[in-house]
Amino acid sequence: LFAVTPYYPAALVLSGLLGVGFMFVYTLLNTLLQTNLVDEMRGRVLSLYTLTFFGFTPFGNLLVGAMSETFGLSTALITSAAACLLFGGAVLLWTPSVRRLP
């Protein structure tokens, strides 16, 4: 909805909801990692998680920026959202242990 709304107030509300959703996901991932890891591996896994979560963000931003220059911002946002949904669904489908997490 955020990618296709032409109204500024609606875009502000939707972007706020996106930010809250991001914080929920980040908190949930961090909590699940810390509660399901053995103590000996926690530091190593969390450092790799932090590297991938924050270290690869600029590359994703670069990709979305290049896509928006080529195809337009709405198309780039819709495409990246669809890719995230597709990959997230694939992880849920092919990794049964993720579905069993508390």
Side-chain angles (χ1 to χ4, degrees), residues 45-79:
V45 172
L46 286 176
S47 65
L48 286 173
Y49 165 71
T50 303
L51 172 71
T52 56
F53 199 82
F54 294 113
F56 289 126
T57 300
F59 296 111
N61 293 339
L62 184 64
L63 177 64
V64 171
M67 287 173 52
S68 66
E69 285 285 325
T70 305
F71 305 112
L73 182 59
S74 291
T75 304
L77 289 175
I78 291 169
T79 304

Side-chain angles (χ1 to χ4, degrees), residues 77-96:
L77 289 175
I78 291 169
T79 304
S80 62
C84 286
L85 286 172
L86 180 71
F87 288 125
V91 166
L92 282 176
L93 182 67
W94 289 317
T95 313

Side-chain angles (χ1 to χ4, degrees), residues 6-56:
Y7 303 109
Y8 184 68
L12 285 176
V13 171
L14 290 170
S15 68
L17 291 173
L18 285 170
V20 169
F22 173 76
M23 288 294 111
F24 279 137
V25 167
Y26 178 69
T27 303
L28 178 67
L29 285 172
N30 226 351
T31 303
L32 286 174
L33 274 175
Q34 291 189 33
T35 56
N36 290 310
L37 289 173
V38 294
D39 290 337
E40 294 81 23
M41 298 301 289
R42 185 171 291 129
R44 293 177 187 132
V45 172
L46 286 176
S47 65
L48 286 173
Y49 165 71
T50 303
L51 172 71
T52 56
F53 199 82
F54 294 113
F56 289 126

